[in-house]
Amino acid sequence: MALVPMRLLLDHAAENNYGIPAFNVNNLEQILSIMQAANETDSPVILQASRGARNYAGENFLRHLILAAAETYPHIPIAMHQDHGNSPATCYSAIRNGFTSVMMDGSLEADAKTPASFEYNVNVTAEVVKVAHSVGASVEGELGCLGSLETMSGDKEDGHGFEGTLSKEQLLTDPDEAVNFVEATQVDALAVAIGTSHGAYKFSRKPTGEILAISRIEEIHKRLPNTHLVMHGSSSVPQEWLDMINQYGGQIPETYGVPVEEIQKGIKSGVRKVNIDTDNRLAITAAIREAAAKDPSNFDPRHFLKPSIKYMKQVCVERYQQFWTAGNASKIKQVSLDEFAAKYAKGELSSTAKKTVSV
């Protein structure tokens, strides 16, 4: 089976009360790790790529790596998602290159660093939704800016994000605005701002409700019970990987991620997509540093990359199990983009009166 719309996976997750980790990918080893873990746990897959990843790997290479995953594991439903599209043009180019889902991040203007107005966000997101749904692709929107409630500052990674001070209102998604946004744009999923940020340095201490507003997810879910919510910046930054990196020459200071139990609370309150990148980067870095230190004369790239697949796979297996994704891939009837385009055209997937696809 070819790649499937992300909406198909999120609908099934909503019907069966689980979340799906969305793993960022840049290369072969990452895709192998994710797919091996998904195959082992019978989990549906969201492979997502940032603009930086598309530039790094090249459009054709990245597309064919993901298509190879679909060919190798035809029984696993896979969505190919554009992460943090900065403009409609970026989203349209992703769809042309085979992405079955796109994120129009209108929380920032097209420069990917200037906080945008609510009106701007609605306009660009609605524009992308109209085009994407016409071909059956899914759309994720974002309301509120990613950033730290500890420092009241924005978050930039991979060329995307605001650098500077933000207000608490900007760092937390407003439930009333969320309702208006979903109704005006008809997005398939909504990324919410709750104090999480990209990268390893999310919190300087174990997060509490003061700096990680999981309760805001609960408020939004009460207002939008049929909308699929998304948590960005949700790596947990396991201490074991930090210790291993530092043991073999790394210099990563004390830092904390989003505890798995907090993510699980979010899943119980409507979160269906959970973005994970840093945890996998840490596992890969730990593997490479360990392999290099233990056999410093070895110059075969496979010597470093094989353990990186093993360690990243371990992270992916754990997240599939912890988010209750495991065991669901075989339960999903795979549906094509063309079939979804027809459903959108008939109004069967409207966000104002959402009906999930029969799976």
Side-chain angles (χ1 to χ4, degrees), residues 287-330:
I288 291 173
R289 283 188 172 275
E290 180 186 46
K294 288 186 173 181
D295 190 358
S297 65
N298 200 312
F299 56 87
D300 184 346
R302 292 169 295 183
H303 170 70
F304 310 103
L305 296 175
K306 283 184 178 180
S308 77
I309 296 172
K310 176 183 176 181
Y311 285 3
M312 178 172 159
K313 176 188 172 184
Q314 179 181 327
V315 173
C316 296
V317 166
E318 289 173 354
R319 298 298 176 268
Y320 283 133
Q321 294 171 338
Q322 291 161 338
F323 299 168
W324 307 298
T325 326
N328 282 290
S330 57

Short mmCIF file of all heavy atoms in Angstrom, two decimals, residues 287-330:
data_model
loop_
_atom_site.label_atom_id
_atom_site.label_comp_id
_atom_site.label_asym_id
_atom_site.label_seq_id
_atom_site.Cartn_x
_atom_site.Cartn_y
_atom_site.Cartn_z
N ALA A 287 25.30 6.44 20.92
CA ALA A 287 25.81 5.24 20.24
C ALA A 287 27.10 5.52 19.49
O ALA A 287 28.05 4.73 19.55
CB ALA A 287 24.74 4.72 19.27
N ILE A 288 27.14 6.63 18.77
CA ILE A 288 28.33 6.96 17.97
C ILE A 288 29.52 7.26 18.88
O ILE A 288 30.65 6.79 18.62
CB ILE A 288 28.02 8.15 17.04
CG1 ILE A 288 27.03 7.70 15.96
CG2 ILE A 288 29.29 8.70 16.42
CD1 ILE A 288 26.52 8.82 15.08
N ARG A 289 29.29 8.02 19.96
CA ARG A 289 30.39 8.34 20.88
C ARG A 289 30.92 7.07 21.55
O ARG A 289 32.14 6.88 21.68
CB ARG A 289 29.92 9.33 21.94
CG ARG A 289 29.82 10.76 21.43
CD ARG A 289 29.56 11.73 22.57
NE ARG A 289 29.65 13.11 22.13
CZ ARG A 289 30.76 13.82 22.05
NH1 ARG A 289 31.92 13.24 22.39
NH2 ARG A 289 30.76 15.07 21.65
N GLU A 290 30.02 6.19 21.95
CA GLU A 290 30.44 4.96 22.60
C GLU A 290 31.24 4.09 21.63
O GLU A 290 32.31 3.55 21.99
CB GLU A 290 29.22 4.20 23.10
CG GLU A 290 29.55 2.88 23.79
CD GLU A 290 28.30 2.08 24.13
OE1 GLU A 290 27.41 1.96 23.26
OE2 GLU A 290 28.22 1.58 25.26
N ALA A 291 30.73 3.92 20.41
CA ALA A 291 31.42 3.08 19.43
C ALA A 291 32.80 3.64 19.09
O ALA A 291 33.77 2.88 18.94
CB ALA A 291 30.57 2.97 18.17
N ALA A 292 32.90 4.94 18.96
CA ALA A 292 34.19 5.56 18.63
C ALA A 292 35.19 5.41 19.76
O ALA A 292 36.37 5.16 19.54
CB ALA A 292 33.99 7.04 18.30
N ALA A 293 34.70 5.55 20.99
CA ALA A 293 35.60 5.46 22.15
C ALA A 293 36.09 4.04 22.38
O ALA A 293 37.24 3.82 22.75
CB ALA A 293 34.88 5.98 23.39
N LYS A 294 35.21 3.06 22.16
CA LYS A 294 35.57 1.68 22.43
C LYS A 294 36.46 1.06 21.36
O LYS A 294 37.17 0.08 21.62
CB LYS A 294 34.30 0.83 22.60
CG LYS A 294 33.57 1.12 23.90
CD LYS A 294 32.41 0.17 24.11
CE LYS A 294 31.77 0.35 25.48
NZ LYS A 294 30.66 -0.58 25.74
N ASP A 295 36.43 1.61 20.16
CA ASP A 295 37.27 1.08 19.07
C ASP A 295 37.79 2.25 18.25
O ASP A 295 37.36 2.47 17.11
CB ASP A 295 36.46 0.12 18.21
CG ASP A 295 37.33 -0.66 17.21
OD1 ASP A 295 38.56 -0.40 17.18
OD2 ASP A 295 36.78 -1.50 16.47
N PRO A 296 38.73 3.03 18.79
CA PRO A 296 39.17 4.27 18.14
C PRO A 296 39.90 4.08 16.82
O PRO A 296 40.06 5.03 16.05
CB PRO A 296 40.09 4.92 19.19
CG PRO A 296 40.50 3.80 20.08
CD PRO A 296 39.37 2.85 20.11
N SER A 297 40.32 2.86 16.53
CA SER A 297 41.02 2.62 15.26
C SER A 297 40.07 2.27 14.13
O SER A 297 40.49 2.18 12.97
CB SER A 297 42.05 1.49 15.44
OG SER A 297 41.39 0.26 15.72
N ASN A 298 38.81 2.08 14.43
CA ASN A 298 37.83 1.66 13.43
C ASN A 298 37.39 2.85 12.59
O ASN A 298 37.06 3.90 13.12
CB ASN A 298 36.62 1.02 14.11
CG ASN A 298 35.81 0.14 13.17
OD1 ASN A 298 35.49 0.54 12.06
ND2 ASN A 298 35.51 -1.07 13.63
N PHE A 299 37.38 2.65 11.27
CA PHE A 299 36.98 3.74 10.37
C PHE A 299 35.84 3.34 9.44
O PHE A 299 35.53 4.04 8.48
CB PHE A 299 38.18 4.24 9.55
CG PHE A 299 38.86 3.16 8.75
CD1 PHE A 299 38.42 2.83 7.48
CD2 PHE A 299 39.94 2.47 9.28
CE1 PHE A 299 39.04 1.83 6.74
CE2 PHE A 299 40.58 1.48 8.55
CZ PHE A 299 40.13 1.14 7.28
N ASP A 300 35.19 2.21 9.74
CA ASP A 300 34.05 1.76 8.95
C ASP A 300 32.80 2.50 9.45
O ASP A 300 32.43 2.34 10.61
CB ASP A 300 33.87 0.26 9.10
CG ASP A 300 32.75 -0.31 8.23
OD1 ASP A 300 31.93 0.49 7.70
OD2 ASP A 300 32.69 -1.54 8.07
N PRO A 301 32.14 3.31 8.61
CA PRO A 301 30.95 4.03 9.08
C PRO A 301 29.88 3.13 9.69
O PRO A 301 29.16 3.54 10.60
CB PRO A 301 30.43 4.72 7.81
CG PRO A 301 31.63 4.85 6.93
CD PRO A 301 32.46 3.64 7.22
N ARG A 302 29.79 1.90 9.21
CA ARG A 302 28.79 0.98 9.75
C ARG A 302 29.05 0.64 11.20
O ARG A 302 28.13 0.32 11.95
CB ARG A 302 28.73 -0.29 8.90
CG ARG A 302 28.18 -0.07 7.50
CD ARG A 302 28.38 -1.28 6.61
NE ARG A 302 29.80 -1.54 6.38
CZ ARG A 302 30.27 -2.51 5.59
NH1 ARG A 302 29.41 -3.28 4.93
NH2 ARG A 302 31.57 -2.68 5.44
N HIS A 303 30.31 0.72 11.62
CA HIS A 303 30.67 0.46 13.01
C HIS A 303 29.96 1.45 13.94
O HIS A 303 29.58 1.11 15.06
CB HIS A 303 32.19 0.58 13.19
CG HIS A 303 32.65 0.56 14.61
ND1 HIS A 303 32.59 -0.56 15.40
CD2 HIS A 303 33.16 1.56 15.40
CE1 HIS A 303 33.05 -0.28 16.61
NE2 HIS A 303 33.40 1.00 16.63
N PHE A 304 29.76 2.68 13.46
CA PHE A 304 29.12 3.72 14.27
C PHE A 304 27.60 3.74 14.05
O PHE A 304 26.84 4.05 14.96
CB PHE A 304 29.70 5.09 13.92
CG PHE A 304 31.19 5.14 13.93
CD1 PHE A 304 31.92 5.13 12.75
CD2 PHE A 304 31.89 5.17 15.13
CE1 PHE A 304 33.30 5.16 12.76
CE2 PHE A 304 33.27 5.20 15.15
CZ PHE A 304 33.99 5.20 13.96
N LEU A 305 27.18 3.44 12.83
CA LEU A 305 25.77 3.60 12.48
C LEU A 305 24.89 2.43 12.91
O LEU A 305 23.72 2.63 13.23
CB LEU A 305 25.64 3.84 10.97
CG LEU A 305 26.30 5.14 10.48
CD1 LEU A 305 26.24 5.24 8.96
CD2 LEU A 305 25.64 6.35 11.12
N LYS A 306 25.44 1.22 12.93
CA LYS A 306 24.63 0.08 13.39
C LYS A 306 24.16 0.24 14.83
O LYS A 306 22.98 0.04 15.12
CB LYS A 306 25.41 -1.22 13.21
CG LYS A 306 25.46 -1.73 11.77
CD LYS A 306 26.17 -3.07 11.68
CE LYS A 306 26.18 -3.59 10.26
NZ LYS A 306 26.89 -4.90 10.17
N PRO A 307 25.05 0.60 15.75
CA PRO A 307 24.55 0.81 17.12
C PRO A 307 23.60 2.00 17.24
O PRO A 307 22.73 2.02 18.11
CB PRO A 307 25.82 1.02 17.95
CG PRO A 307 26.88 1.36 16.98
CD PRO A 307 26.51 0.66 15.71
N SER A 308 23.74 2.98 16.33
CA SER A 308 22.82 4.12 16.38
C SER A 308 21.41 3.68 16.03
O SER A 308 20.42 4.17 16.59
CB SER A 308 23.30 5.25 15.46
OG SER A 308 23.02 4.97 14.10
N ILE A 309 21.30 2.73 15.09
CA ILE A 309 19.98 2.17 14.75
C ILE A 309 19.42 1.42 15.96
O ILE A 309 18.24 1.57 16.32
CB ILE A 309 20.09 1.23 13.54
CG1 ILE A 309 20.53 2.00 12.29
CG2 ILE A 309 18.76 0.51 13.28
CD1 ILE A 309 20.84 1.12 11.10
N LYS A 310 20.25 0.65 16.60
CA LYS A 310 19.83 -0.15 17.75
C LYS A 310 19.32 0.73 18.88
O LYS A 310 18.25 0.47 19.46
CB LYS A 310 20.99 -1.01 18.24
CG LYS A 310 20.69 -1.82 19.48
CD LYS A 310 21.93 -2.59 19.94
CE LYS A 310 21.67 -3.34 21.24
NZ LYS A 310 22.89 -4.07 21.71
N TYR A 311 20.07 1.79 19.20
CA TYR A 311 19.69 2.64 20.34
C TYR A 311 18.46 3.48 20.02
O TYR A 311 17.59 3.67 20.86
CB TYR A 311 20.86 3.54 20.73
CG TYR A 311 21.98 2.83 21.47
CD1 TYR A 311 21.94 1.46 21.68
CD2 TYR A 311 23.08 3.52 21.94
CE1 TYR A 311 22.96 0.81 22.34
CE2 TYR A 311 24.11 2.88 22.62
CZ TYR A 311 24.05 1.52 22.82
OH TYR A 311 25.06 0.88 23.48
N MET A 312 18.37 4.00 18.78
CA MET A 312 17.20 4.78 18.43
C MET A 312 15.96 3.90 18.37
O MET A 312 14.87 4.31 18.78
CB MET A 312 17.42 5.50 17.09
CG MET A 312 16.20 6.30 16.66
SD MET A 312 16.49 7.33 15.21
CE MET A 312 14.79 7.57 14.66
N LYS A 313 16.12 2.68 17.87
CA LYS A 313 14.99 1.74 17.85
C LYS A 313 14.46 1.51 19.26
O LYS A 313 13.24 1.44 19.47
CB LYS A 313 15.43 0.41 17.23
CG LYS A 313 14.33 -0.65 17.26
CD LYS A 313 14.86 -2.01 16.82
CE LYS A 313 13.80 -3.09 17.03
NZ LYS A 313 14.32 -4.44 16.69
N GLN A 314 15.36 1.45 20.22
CA GLN A 314 14.94 1.25 21.61
C GLN A 314 14.04 2.39 22.08
O GLN A 314 13.00 2.17 22.71
CB GLN A 314 16.18 1.18 22.51
CG GLN A 314 15.88 1.00 23.99
CD GLN A 314 17.15 0.97 24.83
OE1 GLN A 314 18.19 0.48 24.39
NE2 GLN A 314 17.06 1.49 26.05
N VAL A 315 14.40 3.63 21.72
CA VAL A 315 13.56 4.78 22.07
C VAL A 315 12.20 4.67 21.41
O VAL A 315 11.16 4.88 22.05
CB VAL A 315 14.24 6.11 21.65
CG1 VAL A 315 13.29 7.29 21.86
CG2 VAL A 315 15.54 6.33 22.42
N CYS A 316 12.20 4.32 20.13
CA CYS A 316 10.93 4.25 19.38
C CYS A 316 10.01 3.17 19.93
O CYS A 316 8.80 3.38 20.07
CB CYS A 316 11.21 4.01 17.90
SG CYS A 316 12.11 5.35 17.08
N VAL A 317 10.56 2.00 20.25
CA VAL A 317 9.75 0.93 20.83
C VAL A 317 9.11 1.40 22.14
O VAL A 317 7.92 1.18 22.38
CB VAL A 317 10.61 -0.33 21.08
CG1 VAL A 317 9.87 -1.32 21.99
CG2 VAL A 317 10.97 -1.00 19.76
N GLU A 318 9.91 2.06 22.97
CA GLU A 318 9.39 2.54 24.26
C GLU A 318 8.25 3.54 24.05
O GLU A 318 7.22 3.47 24.74
CB GLU A 318 10.52 3.18 25.07
CG GLU A 318 11.54 2.18 25.59
CD GLU A 318 12.72 2.86 26.25
OE1 GLU A 318 12.82 4.11 26.21
OE2 GLU A 318 13.57 2.14 26.83
N ARG A 319 8.41 4.47 23.11
CA ARG A 319 7.35 5.47 22.90
C ARG A 319 6.09 4.82 22.32
O ARG A 319 4.98 5.20 22.71
CB ARG A 319 7.85 6.58 21.98
CG ARG A 319 9.03 7.37 22.55
CD ARG A 319 8.68 8.08 23.85
NE ARG A 319 9.86 8.74 24.40
CZ ARG A 319 10.70 8.19 25.27
NH1 ARG A 319 10.47 6.96 25.73
NH2 ARG A 319 11.75 8.85 25.70
N TYR A 320 6.24 3.86 21.42
CA TYR A 320 5.06 3.18 20.89
C TYR A 320 4.30 2.47 22.02
O TYR A 320 3.07 2.46 22.03
CB TYR A 320 5.46 2.16 19.82
CG TYR A 320 5.81 2.76 18.48
CD1 TYR A 320 6.95 2.39 17.79
CD2 TYR A 320 4.98 3.71 17.88
CE1 TYR A 320 7.26 2.94 16.55
CE2 TYR A 320 5.27 4.26 16.66
CZ TYR A 320 6.42 3.87 15.99
OH TYR A 320 6.73 4.42 14.77
N GLN A 321 5.02 1.91 22.94
CA GLN A 321 4.38 1.22 24.05
C GLN A 321 3.79 2.21 25.05
O GLN A 321 2.66 2.04 25.52
CB GLN A 321 5.39 0.29 24.74
CG GLN A 321 5.85 -0.86 23.85
CD GLN A 321 7.00 -1.65 24.44
OE1 GLN A 321 7.74 -1.15 25.29
NE2 GLN A 321 7.18 -2.87 23.97
N GLN A 322 4.55 3.25 25.37
CA GLN A 322 4.11 4.21 26.39
C GLN A 322 2.93 5.06 25.94
O GLN A 322 2.12 5.50 26.77
CB GLN A 322 5.28 5.12 26.78
CG GLN A 322 6.39 4.39 27.53
CD GLN A 322 7.71 5.14 27.50
OE1 GLN A 322 7.94 5.97 26.61
NE2 GLN A 322 8.57 4.86 28.46
N PHE A 323 2.82 5.29 24.63
CA PHE A 323 1.70 6.09 24.11
C PHE A 323 0.52 5.21 23.70
O PHE A 323 -0.42 5.71 23.12
CB PHE A 323 2.16 6.93 22.91
CG PHE A 323 3.27 7.91 23.23
CD1 PHE A 323 3.95 8.55 22.20
CD2 PHE A 323 3.64 8.19 24.53
CE1 PHE A 323 4.98 9.45 22.47
CE2 PHE A 323 4.67 9.10 24.82
CZ PHE A 323 5.33 9.72 23.79
N TRP A 324 0.62 3.90 23.98
CA TRP A 324 -0.45 2.92 23.69
C TRP A 324 -0.70 2.78 22.18
O TRP A 324 -1.78 2.37 21.75
CB TRP A 324 -1.74 3.30 24.42
CG TRP A 324 -1.52 3.50 25.89
CD1 TRP A 324 -1.07 2.56 26.79
CD2 TRP A 324 -1.68 4.71 26.64
NE1 TRP A 324 -0.96 3.11 28.05
CE2 TRP A 324 -1.33 4.43 27.99
CE3 TRP A 324 -2.10 6.00 26.32
CZ2 TRP A 324 -1.38 5.39 29.00
CZ3 TRP A 324 -2.15 6.95 27.32
CH2 TRP A 324 -1.80 6.66 28.64
N THR A 325 0.33 3.09 21.38
CA THR A 325 0.24 2.95 19.92
C THR A 325 0.36 1.49 19.51
O THR A 325 -0.23 1.07 18.51
CB THR A 325 1.37 3.74 19.24
OG1 THR A 325 1.66 4.92 19.98
CG2 THR A 325 1.02 4.08 17.81
N ALA A 326 1.15 0.74 20.26
CA ALA A 326 1.47 -0.64 19.92
C ALA A 326 0.20 -1.49 19.77
O ALA A 326 -0.75 -1.34 20.53
CB ALA A 326 2.38 -1.25 20.98
N GLY A 327 0.21 -2.33 18.75
CA GLY A 327 -0.89 -3.25 18.52
C GLY A 327 -1.99 -2.71 17.63
O GLY A 327 -3.00 -3.40 17.39
N ASN A 328 -1.83 -1.49 17.10
CA ASN A 328 -2.91 -0.86 16.34
C ASN A 328 -2.70 -0.81 14.83
O ASN A 328 -3.67 -0.58 14.09
CB ASN A 328 -3.15 0.55 16.86
CG ASN A 328 -3.94 0.56 18.14
OD1 ASN A 328 -5.12 0.25 18.17
ND2 ASN A 328 -3.27 0.89 19.25
N ALA A 329 -1.50 -1.02 14.35
CA ALA A 329 -1.27 -0.91 12.90
C ALA A 329 -2.13 -1.90 12.11
O ALA A 329 -2.74 -1.54 11.10
CB ALA A 329 0.21 -1.14 12.58
N SER A 330 -2.20 -3.12 12.59
CA SER A 330 -2.93 -4.16 11.88
C SER A 330 -4.44 -3.95 11.94
O SER A 330 -5.19 -4.61 11.21
CB SER A 330 -2.58 -5.54 12.45
OG SER A 330 -2.84 -5.59 13.83
#
